[in-house]
Amino acid sequence: MANPSKRAGADRRVLIYSHDTMGLGHLRRCRTIAHALVEADKDLSVLILSGSPIIGSFDFKARVDFVRVPGVVKLRNGEYTSLNLHIDFCQTLAIRASIIRHTAAAFAPDLFIVDKEPLGLRGEVADTLRDLKAQGVPLVLGLRDVMDDPALLEPEWKRKKAVPALRDLYDDIWVYGLPQMCDPLEGLVIPPEVRAKMSYTGYLRRSIPLAAPRAIVDRARERERPYVLVTPGGGGDGEALIDWVLRAYESGEKLPHRALLVLGPFMQSERQAEFQQRVQRLGRRVEAITFDAHMEQLIVRAAGVVAMGGYNTFCEILSFDKPAVIVPRIAPRLEQSIRAERAQALGLTRMLPDDGIRATGAMVAALQALDGQQPPSASVIPGLLDGLENVERLVRRWLPADGRSGTKATRGSAKTAAV
């Protein structure tokens, strides 16, 4: 592999890995970071490695591009299988690992950022990490604010040999949140030298693109205002939330706003069809769409939000200062539940637990109360949405203006860049 520090010119390159089985969370977070980095540095290019089957549905800024590796999907029993290829999962994994490694060799990044999984899906990024480490390329692990319940995360990370990777391979660990919300590694036995690598950046602020496509803007203006935006994220496990909200509107109870349901691209087509039939019977009180790659345009016009509470939706709720009711899932991870509990305790959002019964009256009451609920800005939390600025500052520590990767000896501690 060519040493990136010897590349001609002052261009800087960041490679981002996102394992993306199903859902939109990892891809959307990585895309947000990539866009912020190229906006802040005209000489920087970012390449995203992703397994998302719908990455092509999103638009990307100049100097941001992606390489899609073959998709996989996690089954309900926790096992993985190939998404589209009719080949053994191990073969798919080998193809993914080869693409990742060869892409890194050809792209020759000055910085490598890995999202969430320290060694990638089933260790697929381990060889690439070692290659880049040998070349002196700084390696960064980016973690969302909440990973999982410590009792579940500890055996998972032990099986994946995650902590040794943090100790031996990574130079920095960036937590895209605040310590008063959560320590994502709480309950794990973490060596002091690993803790010293951790920086809390704050949440990643979202904004409305300055040059949104005209069709997107026109479509947004056509929608009646105000409405409650209901989103289960990718939708793969969002049927319960959509059904619960629909039953509230079907009850005939007086609700302050109409609803806009975004079912999610990964919701089963049969369930989407069932929900659309119910929506049609409700007339103009409810509208449902499958997917919109410009969720910012939808949320900024909403009177409030009802959501499952994944990381990106939570960032959008904070960024656009929307009153929100979070209905978190509790399986296969407690991530959303922990985030919703902490956010409610801080006065940022309200939580409606999914008790399995899902009484219609409980959702009706939550929707009725949403209209008078305080927005997140009513709680003053310093540094809450400083994530992108701090990520840019941390990147600059590793990538000085001469285009060469930084070293521990020359850059100083990146922790001072975080809130």
Side-chain angles (χ1 to χ4, degrees):
M1 179 188 300
N3 190 327
S5 66
K6 296 181 179 179
R7 189 172 58 241
D11 65 298
R12 291 176 284 281
R13 302 178 185 182
V14 174
L15 182 64
I16 300 179
Y17 162 84
S18 176
H19 73 285
D20 295 303
T21 52
M22 292 293 280
L24 299 172
H26 306 291
L27 167 60
R28 294 184 65 210
R29 180 164 55 243
C30 293
R31 175 175 172 268
T32 297
I33 292 170
H35 284 183
L37 293 181
V38 298
E39 284 182 355
D41 186 345
K42 65 180 178 60
D43 295 318
L44 184 70
S45 294
V46 181
L47 186 62
I48 300 174
L49 288 158
S50 171
S52 172
I54 63 168
I55 189 169
S57 299
F58 291 88
D59 52 354
F60 291 87
K61 292 183 178 295
R63 292 178 284 114
V64 178
D65 211 335
F66 65 89
V67 172
R68 192 197 157 207
V69 298
V72 299
V73 59
K74 192 172 186 178
L75 305 175
R76 294 187 182 274
N77 63 5
E79 295 299 317
Y80 290 94
T81 187
S82 301
L83 179 61
N84 291 320
L85 298 176
H86 291 175
I87 64 175
D88 182 77
F89 169 70
C90 291
Q91 291 179 286
T92 300
L93 197 66
I95 294 170
R96 287 169 56 105
S98 178
I99 293 173
I100 292 165
R101 194 175 188 183
H102 285 85
T103 299
F107 186 61
D110 299 291
L111 179 67
F112 186 31
I113 303 174
V114 173
D115 187 74
K116 181 184 174 287
E117 290 288 344
L119 291 174
L121 176 65
R122 296 289 178 89
E124 67 182 359
V125 79
D127 287 340
T128 301
L129 287 167
R130 296 187 188 101
D131 288 345
L132 296 176
K133 186 77 172 178
Q135 295 295 326
V137 177
L139 308 176
V140 174
L141 178 67
L143 298 177
R144 63 187 180 220
D145 57 342
V146 185
M147 292 292 287
D148 201 351
D149 182 83
L152 300 175
L153 185 63
E154 193 276 334
E156 177 187 344
W157 272 37
K158 184 176 182 180
R159 184 181 70 253
K160 294 179 176 179
K161 297 180 174 58
V163 174
L166 302 189
R167 182 191 64 218
D168 301 334
L169 293 174
Y170 283 96
D171 298 290
D172 261 356
I173 303 168
W174 302 344
V175 181
Y176 306 129
L178 292 178
Q180 54 264 56
M181 270 291 289
C182 188
D183 170 7
L185 304 185
E186 179 183 355
L188 277 65
V189 179
I190 302 296
E193 60 267 34
V194 173
R195 283 286 178 189
K197 300 176 184 181
M198 292 179 63
S199 298
Y200 288 84
T201 67
Y203 288 91
L204 307 177
R205 185 188 297 274
R206 308 306 162 91
S207 59
I208 296 294
L210 295 178
R214 180 62 182 269
I216 300 297
V217 176
D218 290 345
R219 189 162 67 243
R221 288 173 177 167
E222 289 174 0
R223 289 199 168 93
E224 297 178 18
R225 297 182 65 190
Y227 55 78
V228 173
L229 180 67
V230 183
T231 169
D237 52 3
E239 294 97 337
L241 173 62
I242 297 298
D243 172 72
W244 201 355
V245 171
L246 280 175
R247 283 192 283 114
Y249 280 87
E250 290 165 342
S251 71
E253 295 286 346
K254 184 175 178 59
L255 298 173
H257 302 294
R258 63 192 295 268
L260 172 59
L261 315 180
V262 185
L263 304 179
F266 300 118
M267 183 176 289
Q268 293 182 356
S269 57
E270 296 83 1
R271 295 311 308 273
Q272 290 188 35
E274 294 172 12
F275 289 141
Q276 289 285 7
Q277 290 177 357
R278 292 168 65 181
V279 166
Q280 291 174 10
R281 291 195 288 269
L282 288 167
R284 295 174 63 83
R285 297 179 63 205
V286 180
E287 178 187 356
I289 61 176
T290 298
F291 172 65
D292 195 317
H294 301 83
M295 283 293 289
E296 299 90 351
Q297 294 284 354
L298 299 182
I299 195 170
V300 74
R301 300 173 67 84
V305 179
V306 178
M308 289 176 62
Y311 180 84
N312 292 284
T313 302
F314 185 64
C315 287
E316 289 164 345
I317 289 168
L318 299 181
S319 299
F320 298 110
D321 201 27
K322 296 298 178 179
V325 175
I326 306 299
V327 187
R329 69 183 181 198
I330 57 174
R333 297 187 181 277
L334 291 174
E335 167 220 342
Q336 293 183 1
S337 182
I338 294 170
R339 181 179 297 114
E341 289 176 358
R342 304 285 172 87
Q344 179 168 266
L346 291 171
L348 297 170
T349 56
R350 288 185 57 231
M351 176 181 175
L352 177 59
D354 185 345
D355 58 4
I357 299 174
R358 307 184 191 101
T360 301
M363 181 59 74
V364 168
L367 290 167
Q368 291 172 336
L370 187 60
D371 207 32
Q373 185 177 317
Q374 292 283 351
S377 61
S379 297
V380 179
I381 302 177
L384 182 65
L385 285 166
D386 289 351
L388 291 177
E389 293 87 345
N390 281 315
V391 167
E392 292 165 13
R393 191 174 296 117
L394 288 162
V395 168
R396 286 197 297 272
R397 295 290 185 100
W398 283 117
L399 303 183
D402 62 5
R404 293 175 296 177
S405 297
T407 65
K408 285 186 178 180
T410 60
R411 74 182 180 95
S413 172
K415 286 181 70 64
T416 59
V419 293

